[in-house]
Amino acid sequence: MSARIPFSRMNGLGNEILVADMRGRADTIEPQAAIVLANDTQTRFDQIMAIHDPQTAGTDAFVRIINTDGSEAGACGNGTRCVVHYLSALNGQREFLFQTKAGLLEARALPGGLISVDMGQPRFDWQSIPLAQKVDDTNATLIEFPLASPAFSRAAVVSMGNPHAVFFVDADVNSIALENYGSQLEHHPLFPDRANISIAQVTRPTALTMRTWERGVGLTRACGSAACAASVLAARTGRAERRIVVTVPGGDLIIEWRDDDHVIMTGPAEWEWSGTLDPLSGAFDRDAERASA
Ligand SMILES: N[C@H](CCC[C@H](N)C(=O)O)C(=O)O
């Protein structure tokens, strides 16, 4: 019988996150446990952020990112802010260095409650995204996806530690039925590791609005790494400045693509409730309600 795992149900602008504290343990949350948690209305999640003991000197933790379908990702902006909120509430620490399977992420709890994450440098070369074949990206090539929809068919692509395709549109993103095309595009043969699919409308050089169909999840209310991807691609294609407010269904993020090529994402994280879970069965219980952390 494995000891139960402390976890917190949180969200980053409505991106539903379970933060599981696996530190001091050698086990993981088994796939069947993740399926049970994903199918319970109380614990359904877009991602599980599993905090493990550091694997590299100088880092605070190794963080595994698990999507609803059990697939693992290399980046999760909203989830990383939730991990900062969780750890900072435990011991007051405000500066963190996390390792994920895509690299290192510096993060900081700011005065006033917002959290900023250095999401690293964007990767534009086709092998890093990855794409199944070479695509000339000298001008951030827009790749043609002949779709039934007249609303969008040409995407720019980038990796933020995870693969993103962003379709820039002139229409209100809430008027486009992304759910009708998301799965087909997520699984497009050009994306050997699948891809996160976003539609984005640049409304001013310093503002864009977007929605995302997430790889391994589907439509979500926010996707932090997609907000970074859309901002970088908007700047790279001359649509926007390098510091921009990104509006997603769950709220606003501030994204800055710094001159040192690092992409800084700043936004909130919200604690909802805490409990413990069984890593084998996915059975869980909730702690007595307490004031928000
Ligand atoms: N579904 C994404 C991982 C989570 C990204 C998103 N929740 C974020 O805030 O960045 C992927 O498979 O690449």
Side-chain angles (χ1 to χ4, degrees), residues 100-147:
T100 74
K101 76 176 206 174
L104 299 181
L105 295 174
E106 284 186 12
R108 173 175 308 168
L110 303 174
L114 292 182
I115 294 161
S116 71
V117 181
D118 179 345
M119 295 293 284
Q121 298 167 277
R123 295 83 146 179
F124 298 106
D125 58 288
W126 65 280
Q127 299 101 319
S128 299
I129 291 172
L131 299 181
Q133 64 196 47
K134 176 166 174 37
V135 169
D136 169 17
D137 73 347
T138 49
N139 298 308
T141 301
L142 298 181
I143 301 170
E144 188 70 31
F145 291 85
L147 286 172

Coordinates of all heavy atoms in Angstrom, one line a residue, residues 100-147:
T100 N 12.4 20.5 -16.3 CA 11.4 19.6 -16.9 C 12.1 18.8 -18.0 O 13.3 19.0 -18.2 CB 10.3 20.5 -17.6 OG1 10.8 21.0 -18.8 CG2 9.8 21.5 -16.7
K101 N 11.4 18.0 -18.7 CA 12.0 17.2 -19.7 C 12.5 18.0 -20.9 O 13.3 17.5 -21.7 CB 11.1 16.0 -20.1 CG 10.0 16.4 -21.1 CD 9.3 15.1 -21.5 CE 8.6 15.2 -22.8 NZ 8.0 14.0 -23.3
A102 N 12.1 19.3 -20.9 CA 12.5 20.1 -22.1 C 13.6 21.1 -21.6 O 14.2 21.8 -22.5 CB 11.3 21.0 -22.6
G103 N 14.0 21.1 -20.3 CA 15.0 22.0 -19.9 C 14.7 22.7 -18.6 O 14.0 22.2 -17.8
L104 N 15.4 23.9 -18.4 CA 15.3 24.5 -17.1 C 14.3 25.7 -17.2 O 14.3 26.4 -18.2 CB 16.6 25.0 -16.6 CG 17.7 23.9 -16.4 CD1 19.0 24.6 -15.9 CD2 17.2 22.9 -15.4
L105 N 13.5 26.0 -16.1 CA 12.6 27.1 -16.1 C 12.8 27.9 -14.8 O 12.7 27.3 -13.7 CB 11.1 26.6 -16.1 CG 10.6 25.8 -17.3 CD1 9.2 25.3 -16.9 CD2 10.5 26.7 -18.5
E106 N 13.2 29.2 -14.9 CA 13.3 30.0 -13.8 C 11.9 30.6 -13.5 O 11.2 31.0 -14.5 CB 14.3 31.2 -14.0 CG 15.8 30.8 -13.9 CD 16.7 32.0 -14.1 OE1 16.1 33.1 -14.0 OE2 17.9 31.8 -14.2
A107 N 11.5 30.7 -12.3 CA 10.2 31.3 -12.0 C 10.3 32.1 -10.7 O 11.2 31.9 -9.9 CB 9.2 30.2 -11.8
R108 N 9.4 33.1 -10.6 CA 9.5 34.0 -9.5 C 8.1 34.4 -9.0 O 7.2 34.8 -9.9 CB 10.2 35.3 -9.9 CG 10.3 36.4 -8.9 CD 11.2 37.5 -9.4 NE 12.5 37.0 -9.8 CZ 13.4 37.7 -10.5 NH1 13.1 38.9 -10.9 NH2 14.5 37.2 -10.8
A109 N 7.8 34.4 -7.7 CA 6.6 34.9 -7.1 C 6.8 36.4 -6.9 O 7.7 36.8 -6.2 CB 6.3 34.2 -5.8
L110 N 6.0 37.2 -7.6 CA 6.1 38.7 -7.5 C 5.3 39.2 -6.4 O 4.3 38.7 -6.0 CB 5.7 39.3 -8.8 CG 6.4 38.8 -10.1 CD1 5.8 39.4 -11.3 CD2 7.9 39.1 -10.1
P111 N 5.7 40.4 -5.8 CA 4.9 41.1 -4.9 C 3.5 41.4 -5.5 O 3.4 41.7 -6.7 CB 5.6 42.4 -4.6 CG 7.0 42.2 -5.1 CD 7.0 41.2 -6.2
G112 N 2.4 41.1 -4.7 CA 1.1 41.4 -5.3 C 0.4 40.1 -5.8 O -0.7 40.2 -6.2
G113 N 1.2 39.0 -5.9 CA 0.5 37.7 -6.2 C 0.7 37.2 -7.6 O 0.5 36.0 -7.9
L114 N 1.2 38.0 -8.5 CA 1.4 37.5 -9.9 C 2.7 36.7 -9.8 O 3.6 36.8 -8.9 CB 1.5 38.6 -10.9 CG 0.2 39.4 -11.2 CD1 0.5 40.4 -12.3 CD2 -0.9 38.4 -11.6
I115 N 2.9 35.8 -10.8 CA 4.0 34.9 -10.9 C 4.6 35.0 -12.3 O 3.8 35.0 -13.3 CB 3.6 33.5 -10.6 CG1 3.2 33.4 -9.1 CG2 4.7 32.5 -10.9 CD1 2.3 32.2 -8.8
S116 N 5.9 35.2 -12.4 CA 6.5 35.2 -13.7 C 7.4 33.9 -13.9 O 8.0 33.5 -13.0 CB 7.4 36.5 -14.0 OG 8.5 36.4 -13.2
V117 N 7.4 33.4 -15.2 CA 8.1 32.2 -15.5 C 9.0 32.6 -16.8 O 8.4 33.1 -17.8 CB 7.2 31.0 -15.8 CG1 8.0 29.8 -16.2 CG2 6.3 30.7 -14.7
D118 N 10.3 32.3 -16.7 CA 11.1 32.4 -17.9 C 10.9 31.1 -18.7 O 11.4 30.0 -18.3 CB 12.6 32.6 -17.5 CG 13.5 32.6 -18.7 OD1 13.0 32.3 -19.8 OD2 14.6 33.1 -18.5
M119 N 10.2 31.2 -19.8 CA 9.8 30.0 -20.5 C 10.9 29.6 -21.5 O 10.7 28.7 -22.4 CB 8.5 30.2 -21.3 CG 7.3 30.5 -20.4 SD 6.8 29.0 -19.5 CE 6.0 28.1 -20.8
G120 N 12.0 30.3 -21.4 CA 13.2 29.9 -22.3 C 13.1 30.5 -23.6 O 12.4 31.5 -23.8
Q121 N 13.9 30.0 -24.6 CA 14.0 30.5 -25.9 C 13.1 29.8 -26.9 O 13.0 28.5 -26.8 CB 15.4 30.5 -26.4 CG 16.4 31.3 -25.5 CD 17.8 31.0 -25.7 OE1 18.4 30.1 -25.2 NE2 18.5 31.9 -26.5
P122 N 12.4 30.5 -27.8 CA 11.6 29.8 -28.8 C 12.6 29.0 -29.7 O 13.7 29.4 -30.0 CB 10.9 30.9 -29.5 CG 11.7 32.1 -29.3 CD 12.4 31.9 -28.0
R123 N 12.1 27.9 -30.3 CA 12.9 27.1 -31.3 C 12.1 27.1 -32.6 O 10.9 26.7 -32.6 CB 13.1 25.7 -30.8 CG 14.0 25.5 -29.6 CD 13.2 25.6 -28.3 NE 13.7 24.8 -27.2 CZ 13.1 24.8 -26.0 NH1 12.1 25.6 -25.8 NH2 13.5 24.0 -25.1
F124 N 12.7 27.6 -33.6 CA 12.0 27.8 -34.9 C 12.4 26.7 -35.9 O 11.7 26.5 -36.9 CB 12.2 29.1 -35.5 CG 11.7 30.3 -34.7 CD1 12.6 31.1 -34.0 CD2 10.3 30.5 -34.5 CE1 12.1 32.1 -33.2 CE2 9.9 31.6 -33.7 CZ 10.8 32.4 -33.1
D125 N 13.5 26.0 -35.7 CA 14.0 25.1 -36.7 C 13.1 23.9 -36.7 O 12.6 23.4 -35.7 CB 15.4 24.7 -36.5 CG 15.6 24.1 -35.1 OD1 15.6 24.8 -34.1 OD2 15.8 22.8 -35.1
W126 N 12.8 23.4 -37.9 CA 11.8 22.4 -38.1 C 12.0 21.1 -37.2 O 11.1 20.5 -36.7 CB 11.6 22.0 -39.5 CG 12.7 21.4 -40.2 CD1 13.9 22.0 -40.7 CD2 12.9 20.0 -40.5 NE1 14.7 21.1 -41.2 CE2 14.1 19.8 -41.1 CE3 12.1 18.9 -40.3 CZ2 14.6 18.6 -41.6 CZ3 12.5 17.6 -40.7 CH2 13.8 17.5 -41.3
Q127 N 13.3 20.8 -37.0 CA 13.6 19.5 -36.3 C 13.3 19.7 -34.8 O 13.0 18.8 -34.1 CB 15.1 19.1 -36.4 CG 15.6 18.8 -37.8 CD 16.3 20.0 -38.4 OE1 15.9 21.1 -38.2 NE2 17.4 19.7 -39.1
S128 N 13.4 21.0 -34.3 CA 13.1 21.2 -32.8 C 11.7 21.3 -32.5 O 11.3 21.2 -31.3 CB 13.8 22.5 -32.4 OG 15.2 22.4 -32.6
I129 N 10.8 21.5 -33.5 CA 9.4 21.7 -33.2 C 8.7 20.4 -32.7 O 8.0 20.5 -31.6 CB 8.7 22.3 -34.4 CG1 9.3 23.8 -34.5 CG2 7.2 22.4 -34.2 CD1 8.9 24.5 -35.7
P130 N 8.9 19.3 -33.2 CA 9.4 18.9 -34.5 C 8.3 18.8 -35.6 O 7.2 18.7 -35.3 CB 9.9 17.5 -34.2 CG 9.0 16.9 -33.3 CD 8.5 18.1 -32.4
L131 N 8.8 19.0 -36.8 CA 8.0 18.7 -38.0 C 8.5 17.5 -38.7 O 9.7 17.1 -38.5 CB 8.1 19.9 -39.0 CG 7.6 21.3 -38.4 CD1 7.7 22.3 -39.5 CD2 6.2 21.2 -37.9
A132 N 7.6 16.9 -39.5 CA 8.0 15.6 -40.1 C 8.9 15.9 -41.3 O 9.5 14.9 -41.8 CB 6.7 14.9 -40.6
Q133 N 8.9 17.1 -41.8 CA 9.7 17.4 -43.0 C 10.3 18.8 -42.9 O 9.7 19.6 -42.1 CB 8.9 17.2 -44.3 CG 7.8 18.2 -44.4 CD 6.8 17.8 -45.4 OE1 6.3 16.6 -45.4 NE2 6.4 18.8 -46.2
K134 N 11.3 19.1 -43.6 CA 11.9 20.5 -43.6 C 10.9 21.5 -44.1 O 10.3 21.2 -45.2 CB 13.2 20.5 -44.4 CG 13.8 21.9 -44.5 CD 15.2 21.9 -45.0 CE 15.8 23.3 -45.2 NZ 15.4 24.3 -44.2
V135 N 10.7 22.6 -43.4 CA 9.9 23.7 -43.9 C 10.8 24.9 -43.8 O 11.4 25.2 -42.7 CB 8.6 23.8 -43.0 CG1 7.9 25.1 -43.3 CG2 7.7 22.6 -43.2
D136 N 10.9 25.6 -44.9 CA 11.7 26.9 -44.9 C 11.0 27.9 -43.9 O 9.9 28.3 -44.1 CB 11.7 27.4 -46.3 CG 12.3 28.8 -46.3 OD1 13.0 29.2 -45.3 OD2 12.1 29.6 -47.3
D137 N 11.8 28.2 -42.9 CA 11.2 29.2 -41.9 C 11.9 30.5 -41.9 O 11.8 31.3 -41.0 CB 11.2 28.6 -40.5 CG 12.6 28.6 -39.9 OD1 13.6 28.9 -40.7 OD2 12.8 28.5 -38.7
T138 N 12.5 30.8 -43.1 CA 13.3 32.1 -43.1 C 12.3 33.3 -42.8 O 12.6 34.2 -42.1 CB 13.9 32.3 -44.5 OG1 12.9 32.1 -45.4 CG2 15.1 31.3 -44.6
N139 N 11.1 33.1 -43.2 CA 10.1 34.2 -42.9 C 9.0 33.7 -42.0 O 7.9 34.1 -42.2 CB 9.5 34.8 -44.2 CG 10.6 35.4 -45.1 OD1 11.4 36.2 -44.6 ND2 10.7 34.9 -46.3
A140 N 9.4 32.8 -41.1 CA 8.4 32.3 -40.2 C 7.2 31.8 -41.1 O 6.1 32.2 -41.0 CB 7.8 33.3 -39.2
T141 N 7.7 30.9 -42.0 CA 6.7 30.4 -43.1 C 5.4 30.0 -42.5 O 5.3 29.4 -41.4 CB 7.3 29.1 -43.7 OG1 8.6 29.5 -44.3 CG2 6.4 28.6 -44.8
L142 N 4.3 30.5 -43.1 CA 3.0 30.1 -42.7 C 2.7 28.8 -43.5 O 2.8 28.7 -44.7 CB 2.0 31.1 -43.1 CG 2.2 32.5 -42.3 CD1 1.1 33.5 -42.7 CD2 2.2 32.3 -40.8
I143 N 2.4 27.7 -42.8 CA 2.2 26.4 -43.4 C 0.7 26.3 -43.8 O -0.2 26.6 -43.0 CB 2.6 25.3 -42.4 CG1 4.1 25.5 -42.1 CG2 2.3 23.9 -43.0 CD1 4.5 24.6 -40.9
E144 N 0.5 25.9 -45.0 CA -0.9 25.8 -45.5 C -1.5 24.5 -45.0 O -0.9 23.4 -45.1 CB -0.9 25.8 -47.0 CG -2.3 25.8 -47.7 CD -2.9 27.2 -47.5 OE1 -2.2 28.2 -47.4 OE2 -4.2 27.2 -47.3
F145 N -2.6 24.6 -44.3 CA -3.4 23.4 -43.9 C -4.8 23.5 -44.6 O -5.6 24.2 -44.1 CB -3.6 23.4 -42.4 CG -2.3 23.1 -41.6 CD1 -1.5 24.2 -41.3 CD2 -2.0 21.8 -41.3 CE1 -0.3 24.0 -40.6 CE2 -0.8 21.6 -40.6 CZ 0.1 22.7 -40.2
P146 N -4.9 22.9 -45.8 CA -6.2 23.0 -46.5 C -7.3 22.4 -45.6 O -7.4 21.2 -45.4 CB -6.0 22.2 -47.7 CG -4.8 21.4 -47.5 CD -4.0 22.0 -46.5
L147 N -8.1 23.3 -45.1 CA -9.2 22.8 -44.2 C -10.5 23.2 -44.7 O -10.7 24.0 -45.7 CB -9.0 23.6 -42.8 CG -7.9 23.1 -41.9 CD1 -7.8 24.1 -40.8 CD2 -8.1 21.7 -41.5

